[in-house]
Amino acid sequence: MPETQSDKIPVTVLTGYLGAGKTTLLNRILSEPHGKKYAVVVNEFGEIGIDNDLVVGADEEVFEMNNGCICCTVRGDLIRIIDGLLRRKGDFDGIIVETTGLADPAPVAQTFFVDEIVGAKTSLDAVVTVADAKWLKERLKDAPEAKNQIAFADVILLNKTDLVTDTELKDVEMRIRAINPFARIHRTQRSDIAIDKVLGQGAFDLDRITAIDPDFLEGGHRHFHDEDMKSVSFASDKPLDPDKFFPWIQELTQREGPNILRSKGILAFKDDPDRFVFQGVHMILDGDHQRPWRADEAKTSRIVFIGRHLDEKALEEGFLSCTA
Amino acid sequence: MAALSSTPSSITSKLTPIDLGDPVVGVRFLGSVAAFALGGGKIVLAGEEERRLDAHGGAILSVDGDRRRLVTGGDDGRVVETAGDGSSRVLFEQKGRWIDQVAAGPDGSVAFSAGRTAYFRPAKGDPKTLDLPSTVGGLAFAPKGTRLAIAHYGGATLWFPNAQAKPESLEWKGSHRGILWHPDGRFIVTTMQEAALHGWRLPDGAHMRMSGYPSRVKSMAFTAGGRFLATSGSSEAVLWPFGSKEGPMGKQPTMLAPRDVRVSCVGAHPKDEVIACGYDDGMVLLVRISDGAEILARSPSGGAVSALAWRADGGALAIGTEDGAGGLIVL
C-alpha cells in the first residue's frame, strides 16, 4: 500500500560552515517546548547539551552508487542509521541530520531518493543552512563547501547579524541571492528562530511546489551570478511537448548532473489539464502531475537550475525547443 | 520432505498466530522454543508457554543465534545472549554506541560490530578487535573454525581473530551489507546497497556478480547442502546455483513462487531442498525446489514478512512480520 506523504517521517538536513551556529540551532530545536521529539544524527558527540536518547553518531561515509554516474553519491552510514531508527518508529516525530561544516549536502539529500527503503519510510523536508553573516563572504571565496551549502539550501539562517552593519548585511544577502535566489532567508542572532520556520518546510514535497519564487522571475528571466555558481531560470507561455521535454531534461541532467546542484520546474504540457512539477538533486529527478491548472492561472512553464558553469544560452535554447 | 507432497496445498490451519506487537527483527529456534527479537527491544520466547523479556533499552538492530542461544545487538550499546529458558546475560556494553551487527560463533563465541570496529569474544580467553576501513555492514562466521567474514564499503575482510596473520581483503567497489559463507566454505556472498549480490570464490578470488533484481536484496540463505542460494528482492524467489565448484557464473538462476508482490524474506529448510518464502504482503509459501511445488503457510495479511526460521529438525517454522505479527507452524 503506498504511504502518503504524511505517513513518512520528515527529515531535516542541517548544514553550515564551521562556527556558523549549527549546534546552537540544534540545541534550540531540541530544547524548545514544542512537544515533539526528534531523533538527531550528529557527527560529534558531546556538542549537544540536551539529554536525548535518540542522538546517533554518524561517520559521514560517502560512497558512489555503482550506477555509472559520478555525481550519484550517497551517505551509506545514514542508510544504516535510518534503517535502525525506523525500528523505533513512534518514538519520534522527525529526524534531523547534522552534517559537518565541510560536508557537501548533496549525498545526504540523494540518500533519500536512491535508497528504496529510506525513501519509502521517510521524506526529505528541507536543507537548512546556517551562515555566518560576518564571515560568509570570505568563505564563499575560499571554501567551495560553503558555496555548495548556500546553493543547496531551502532555508538559510543568516546568523550573527549583530556582528555586522546594515550595509554589510545587505551585501552578504546579495551574495547569497546571487547563488541561490529561491531559498528563504531569515536573519538571526544566536540562531534564534521560530521552529516552524526551520522544520516542516516540505521543500522537497512536490505537492508544495506552489510557485517558483516570483521575486526570482521578475522581468521574465533574470539571473544573478556569482563567479562560478549561478542560478538561471526560463519561462515559456507555449505549452511543452512531453516527448521533447523528458528526453531533454534526462539527457541534460545525465550529462551536466555534476554541475547542476538543484533544479525545479512547474510545467504545462500540451493537452494536459494538470500542472506537472518536478525537482532534482544533481542527476536524480522526481516529478509528478500535481493538480489541474486553475482557470485564473496563466499556463506558464517555468524551470530553474542552480549550478556551476551553467551554459545559460544552451539551456534556454534547449528548454524553448521543448515547446509543442 | 516426502511428507510435504502428500499434504494439502495449504497448511494455514496449522499456523498458531502470536501477537508480538513490535516489528520482528529476527527469529531463531532455541531447541523447540521460537525466540523472536523485536524492534522495540523485547524478546518473546514462544514454547510451551510464552515469555516476554526486556532484553534491550532501545531497538534491537541485529540478531543471530544457534540452537542454544539468541544473540542480539541493540542501539543501547549492548550485546545480549538469551537462552531458551529465558536466562540471559549481557556480553558487552558500551553506552552511546550502536551494536550494528552480531554473529554467533563456534563454542559459545560471539562477534559483533559498532561502527568501524569488529569485536570477537571467545567463551574463554581474551577478546579481540579489528578496525575496518568503513562501517561494518555484515558479519558471518565460517562454517568451520574461528574465522570471520566482515562486509564493509569496498569489499569484505576475512579475519582469523586468534591468529597473528594479516586479515585478507576481498575487494569490490560499492557498499556491502549482508554477508554469508557457503556451507562448504568455498564461496562468500554479500548483499549490496545496489540491487545486486556479489560473491568471491575463495580458492582463486574469482568474482561472482549476481544482478538483475528490481530492489535491494535483504534476505538470503543457502539451501540444505548448499546447492542453491535463495534470495529475496524480486517478485519471485531467485535461487543461484552453487552446486558446482565453479559457482553460479554463466548460469541462470532458478525462479520460484512468482507473485505480483516482492519476496521480502527467505528461509532454507535445514534438511531438504525446500525454502520458506515470505512476501511484502505477509504471505508465506513453502516451496520445493525440485518441482516448484508450493504450499501456503500464511495467507496475505498486514506487513511484510521480516523474519523466518526453521527448527533444526525441519519440523517447525517460525514467521515474523514488520507489523508485529508472529506465527508458528508445527508440521
Side-chain angles (χ1 to χ4, degrees):
Chain A
M1 192 164 54
E3 290 181 80
T4 60
Q5 196 78 26
S6 56
D7 291 337
K8 295 188 179 186
I9 298 165
V11 182
T12 302
V13 178
L14 192 53
T15 77
Y17 208 68
L18 308 164
K22 251 184 337 210
T23 308
T24 312
L25 175 61
L26 195 50
N27 279 327
R28 251 180 217 289
I29 293 171
L30 296 178
S31 60
E32 276 197 15
H34 40 59
K36 298 216 163 163
K37 199 166 175 196
Y38 294 95
V40 187
V41 182
V42 295
N43 290 282
E44 298 286 335
F45 273 112
E47 290 189 7
I48 294 194
I50 307 299
D51 188 28
N52 183 341
D53 61 336
L54 285 165
V55 176
V56 189
D59 291 310
E60 247 178 43
E61 290 175 348
V62 174
F63 64 82
E64 281 171 35
M65 292 295 289
N66 288 339
N67 58 6
C69 176
I70 54 151
C71 58
C72 195
T73 49
V74 299
R75 281 271 305 271
D77 57 326
L78 207 48
I79 295 172
R80 281 187 292 268
I81 286 168
I82 288 176
D83 275 353
L85 283 174
L86 288 169
R87 304 242 160 97
R88 294 177 65 159
K89 206 178 168 182
D91 282 2
F92 54 91
D93 304 292
I95 300 172
I96 300 170
V97 180
E98 183 197 30
T99 69
T100 62
L102 295 174
D104 176 2
V108 182
Q110 289 174 164
T111 302
F112 294 89
F113 297 98
V114 164
D115 186 78
E116 190 186 11
I117 294 159
V118 171
K121 304 271 170 83
T122 64
S123 67
L124 187 56
D125 185 64
V127 176
V128 176
T129 298
V130 186
D132 184 322
K134 190 169 176 65
W135 293 108
L136 180 67
K137 267 171 65 183
E138 297 305 311
R139 295 294 82 80
L140 291 178
K141 284 178 199 155
D142 63 16
E145 300 88 357
K147 199 177 274 184
N148 277 349
Q149 292 165 359
I150 294 293
F152 223 90
D154 299 293
V155 175
I156 296 171
L157 261 67
L158 190 52
N159 195 31
K160 306 193 183 180
T161 56
D162 49 331
L163 303 181
V164 293
T165 64
D166 260 6
T167 318
E168 286 174 311
L169 192 57
K170 283 193 181 112
D171 186 46
V172 72
E173 270 186 7
M174 294 276 286
R175 297 295 306 263
I176 292 174
R177 281 280 169 243
I179 295 168
N180 183 341
F182 66 139
R184 289 176 210 127
I185 301 179
H186 301 287
R187 296 178 177 184
T188 58
Q189 295 175 15
R190 285 168 292 280
S191 301
D192 188 4
I193 187 163
I195 300 304
D196 62 4
K197 297 253 190 335
V198 178
L199 304 179
Q201 301 297 295
F204 289 83
D205 181 352
L206 291 173
D207 285 336
R208 285 170 66 171
I209 300 179
T210 49
I212 289 169
D213 194 358
D215 173 48
F216 173 75
L217 286 159
E218 255 170 48
H221 70 274
R222 172 175 136 203
H223 74 264
F224 302 77
H225 51 92
D226 180 76
E227 293 84 46
D228 65 339
M229 186 88 78
K230 67 177 173 184
S231 58
V232 295
S233 128
F234 313 105
S236 167
D237 290 330
K238 283 190 198 159
L240 303 183
D241 180 349
D243 293 335
K244 291 180 187 167
F245 177 78
F246 288 114
W248 172 72
I249 191 83
Q250 267 151 17
E251 193 276 330
L252 175 72
T253 49
Q254 286 291 325
R255 179 167 42 87
E256 293 293 323
N259 286 329
I260 299 172
L261 273 70
R262 302 245 343 224
S263 56
K264 218 175 248 199
I266 300 174
L267 308 169
F269 288 124
K270 187 171 180 285
D271 304 326
D272 187 340
D274 287 344
R275 280 160 53 115
F276 189 91
V277 294
F278 83 93
Q279 57 92 17
V281 173
H282 289 301
M283 65 160 285
I284 298 170
L285 295 172
D286 183 22
D288 207 351
H289 290 272
Q290 188 191 39
R291 59 164 173 82
W293 288 94
R294 286 194 303 264
D296 60 348
E297 210 171 24
K299 285 188 173 180
T300 304
S301 296
R302 290 176 172 152
I303 192 164
V304 180
F305 299 100
I306 295 179
R308 288 194 159 85
H309 316 301
L310 299 180
D311 183 343
E312 190 178 356
K313 190 156 174 289
L315 288 171
E316 180 167 32
E317 282 171 5
F319 175 65
L320 294 178
S321 73
C322 297
T323 51
Chain B
M1 187 157 266
L4 261 183
S5 58
S6 59
T7 52
S9 61
S10 169
I11 50 166
T12 52
S13 60
K14 292 178 186 274
L15 178 75
T16 308
I18 304 165
D19 183 12
L20 297 167
D22 252 348
V24 182
V25 182
V27 63
R28 292 290 185 282
F29 273 95
L30 311 176
S32 61
V33 175
F36 294 88
L38 308 183
K42 286 189 166 56
I43 289 172
V44 175
L45 300 175
E48 302 272 291
E49 48 176 355
E50 191 181 304
R51 301 179 62 174
R52 288 179 178 254
L53 312 170
D54 286 313
H56 290 269
I60 291 177
L61 298 174
S62 76
V63 182
D64 196 20
D66 52 35
R67 292 181 188 200
R68 292 182 309 277
R69 59 195 175 134
L70 188 74
V71 179
T72 49
D75 69 5
D76 57 354
R78 303 207 299 176
V79 179
V80 177
E81 186 180 87
T82 306
D85 63 4
S87 62
S88 72
R89 57 192 185 121
V90 176
L91 300 180
F92 180 84
E93 179 159 19
Q94 187 177 1
K95 282 255 182 316
R97 296 304 304 270
W98 284 18
I99 306 299
D100 301 307
Q101 300 296 332
V102 294
D107 309 319
S109 64
V110 292
F112 52 92
S113 70
R116 297 174 190 201
T117 306
Y119 297 78
F120 170 73
R121 286 175 74 92
K124 284 177 192 158
D126 293 332
K128 307 274 171 31
T129 65
L130 179 69
D131 288 325
L132 282 305
S134 67
T135 303
V136 174
L139 282 175
F141 278 96
K144 287 190 185 108
T146 301
R147 193 178 195 195
L148 270 165
I150 305 163
H152 45 78
Y153 179 59
T157 296
L158 304 182
W159 179 37
F160 284 107
N162 290 329
Q164 292 297 319
K166 194 170 169 277
E168 185 183 335
S169 288
L170 301 171
E171 291 179 10
W172 187 259
K173 196 179 153 189
S175 177
H176 300 261
R177 303 191 57 171
I179 192 161
L180 200 58
W181 292 78
H182 186 269
D184 72 9
R186 188 176 170 81
F187 305 99
I188 281 185
V189 180
T190 60
T191 59
M192 300 198 64
Q193 174 61 36
E194 288 81 18
L197 307 176
H198 194 79
W200 291 268
R201 192 168 62 195
L202 293 182
D204 60 0
H207 292 284
M208 304 180 284
R209 272 181 280 178
M210 290 159 273
S211 58
Y213 292 89
S215 68
R216 198 167 94 196
V217 180
K218 286 183 284 182
S219 172
M220 59 179 175
F222 279 106
T223 58
R227 281 218 303 154
F228 295 97
L229 176 68
T231 60
S232 71
S234 187
S235 57
E236 62 248 301
V238 176
L239 292 98
W240 297 93
F242 275 84
S244 74
K245 282 187 181 312
E246 284 68 46
M249 279 99 89
K251 300 185 187 111
Q252 289 299 312
T254 303
M255 315 281 205
L256 294 175
R259 291 189 63 218
D260 54 2
V261 294
R262 283 185 193 152
V263 174
S264 55
C265 194
V266 291
H269 189 280
K271 293 186 170 157
D272 298 303
E273 283 191 336
V274 167
I275 55 166
C277 187
Y279 296 83
D280 271 350
D281 62 357
M283 184 162 131
V284 178
L285 290 174
L286 307 187
V287 188
R288 187 165 55 200
I289 297 167
S290 61
D291 60 359
E294 298 168 8
I295 295 172
L296 180 65
R298 184 176 192 267
S299 300
S301 161
V305 176
S306 54
L308 290 167
W310 290 90
R311 201 168 68 197
D313 63 359
L317 176 71
I319 299 166
T321 72
E322 273 182 10
D323 59 350
L328 201 55
I329 295 178
V330 179
L331 298 165

